[in-house]
Amino acid sequence: MKLLILSIDAMFSEDVDKLYKYPKIAPFLERALISKNMAPIYPALTYPCHVAIVSGNTPKNHGVFHNLECQPNAKWQDWKWYYTDITGKTLFDYFKEAGWTSSAIFWPVSANAPVDYLVPEIWSYTSDPVEIIKATSGGKAAHIIERHREDVDFTSKFKLDRFAKDCALDIVDEFDPDVMFLHLSLVDSTRHGYGIRHPEVEKAFDQCAQWLIEVLEHISVKTDLKDLSLVVLGDHGHLNCKGSLSMNKLFAERGWVDVPFPQKRSDCKAFTHAAGVSAQVYVNDDAIRGEVEALLEQLKQEGWLLNWFNKEDAAAHGLVGPFDYVLEAGE
């Protein structure tokens, strides 16, 4: 193997120094380029960020502006799983053109990607998720996916990351690709569940480091680790939240959206799609646009919103999509 790219979802800059305590990782750091406190793309959500990592573009150019599809009345919203959601080329395409064999394991927005040994991050709440993963993997790693089916449990990020790690080990052993992309989510889910600096986060980060060491040990059977380029990165940070603002409740009070929500956002006069500590607002009735903007400005003046952007303002931040406004929650 020539290159291993590991994304530890929600890894902070302050986490990097913890890697020095692992003797099998420390040698990489001693000859590494380390960049801390980087600004993520906007919005700083997992799926847009991971497409930015492999494309070098912002959502304005790569096309993935949210983690989720906007489906107002869906019990479970679909995620932007499919590689066809991406506009333009990514590293996956460039490695294939260069003749390098590649693997991507649970990398966001990779279903049906042009990757040789693919284990896409995709799931289903109503069908067998293993079959969904295999069906969008291209087939070469289907037997490996099936081998570790017992850990495909979307209620447990620990099991899912262990599944990803075990698939990585088998792909290294069987195929030894030139480059591997591996995405682990345990730190992110633990920060969501316990807070950004909780002892459980330390345990989760240690677990991800141990999994990295396992992958390195398997790579070392066929590759001198001095010849391996290793990239370890995070995709976004976290902010502690003390409450939430229900924009659609305000919209419903004004008759702009029905409750329960309709099936399609186009059936609403206005609808807000939450995006972490920001949100994306769709306005389908031009007659209420002035009222919507007046409401947003009132909420900003009262401190509920830090800011709100129209389409042009959002584009200046590298964010373009089918929505009309972008909101940022206040302190």
Side-chain angles (χ1 to χ4, degrees):
M1 186 178 294
K2 299 179 177 73
L3 172 64
L4 171 63
I5 300 172
L6 172 65
S7 169
I8 300 178
D9 206 302
M11 183 178 79
F12 290 2
S13 291
E14 66 196 53
D15 296 326
V16 175
D17 291 341
K18 301 170 188 173
L19 294 172
Y20 282 96
K21 72 178 184 179
Y22 303 99
K24 294 189 178 180
I25 301 176
F28 288 97
L29 296 171
E30 292 167 2
R31 51 191 174 94
L33 171 65
I34 297 175
S35 183
K36 296 183 179 182
N37 302 317
M38 296 177 67
I41 55 93
Y42 190 81
L45 300 175
T46 293
Y47 275 42
C49 284
H50 277 82
V51 178
I53 289 165
V54 295
S55 70
N57 286 317
T58 64
K60 179 179 179 180
N61 296 107
H62 70 50
V64 178
F65 53 86
H66 202 295
N67 283 341
L68 301 164
E69 301 290 352
C70 186
Q71 299 165 320
N73 200 33
K75 184 176 182 180
W76 298 293
Q77 294 180 78
D78 292 324
W79 287 58
K80 290 188 175 292
W81 294 305
Y82 294 95
Y83 193 73
T84 50
D85 285 322
I86 301 173
T87 302
K89 291 184 175 181
T90 72
L91 289 175
F92 301 156
D93 300 288
Y94 292 117
F95 283 128
K96 182 169 285 294
E97 290 174 3
W100 285 29
T101 55
S102 63
S103 176
I105 302 164
F106 263 43
W107 197 269
V109 201
S110 67
N112 296 322
V115 171
D116 296 292
Y117 312 110
L118 175 63
V119 183
E121 183 173 86
I122 185 171
W123 58 89
S124 172
Y125 297 101
T126 57
S127 303
D128 181 351
V130 174
E131 295 305 317
I132 299 292
I133 295 169
K134 290 194 296 184
T136 55
S137 71
K140 291 183 180 178
H143 61 292
I144 292 173
I145 295 166
E146 182 66 34
R147 186 180 299 154
H148 301 292
R149 124 179 329 267
E150 69 278 0
D151 268 346
V152 181
D153 178 356
F154 286 92
T155 67
S156 171
K157 288 296 186 182
F158 175 85
K159 287 184 178 181
L160 286 175
D161 278 5
R162 187 169 63 186
F163 165 78
K165 179 267 298 182
D166 286 339
C167 287
L169 298 184
D170 286 1
I171 289 170
V172 168
D173 293 345
E174 186 171 341
F175 300 112
D176 189 26
D178 293 316
V179 58
M180 175 175 281
F181 297 80
L182 176 60
H183 173 230
L184 301 177
S185 297
L186 184 59
V187 171
D188 177 71
S189 64
T190 306
R191 282 194 153 120
H192 276 299
Y194 289 90
I196 61 178
R197 293 181 179 85
H198 189 277
E200 289 296 320
V201 176
E202 298 294 317
K203 290 167 59 177
F205 189 83
D206 180 71
Q207 181 62 77
C208 289
Q210 296 298 335
W211 283 330
L212 170 58
I213 290 168
E214 281 191 63
V215 175
L216 291 173
E217 288 174 342
H218 279 247
I219 292 172
S220 69
V221 173
K222 297 180 180 180
T223 302
D224 188 329
L225 293 185
K226 292 181 180 179
D227 297 325
L228 175 72
S229 294
L230 172 65
V231 178
V232 180
L233 52 84
D235 56 342
H236 59 70
H238 274 227
L239 293 172
N240 281 324
C241 296
K242 299 179 181 178
S244 61
L245 176 63
S246 181
M247 290 299 302
N248 284 320
K249 183 174 188 297
L250 297 179
F251 286 5
E253 290 172 354
R254 289 158 175 78
W256 298 343
V257 62
D258 294 328
V259 179
F261 296 141
Q263 292 290 336
K264 300 177 181 178
R265 60 175 171 79
S266 57
D267 293 332
C268 313
K269 291 184 177 180
F271 184 79
T272 301
H273 192 202
V277 293
S278 67
Q280 298 166 2
V281 179
Y282 297 82
V283 177
N284 298 310
D285 184 350
D286 285 337
I288 66 167
R289 193 171 298 276
E291 295 178 72
V292 172
E293 292 186 359
L295 173 61
L296 299 182
E297 186 59 29
Q298 176 187 339
L299 294 171
K300 178 181 176 181
Q301 295 303 319
E302 293 175 357
W304 297 106
L305 294 180
L306 176 68
N307 213 336
W308 62 275
F309 304 133
N310 60 25
K311 292 177 78 74
E312 292 73 24
D313 296 331
H317 289 274
L319 176 58
V320 170
F323 43 82
D324 297 277
Y325 304 99
V326 174
L327 316 182
E328 294 184 336
E331 293 293 333

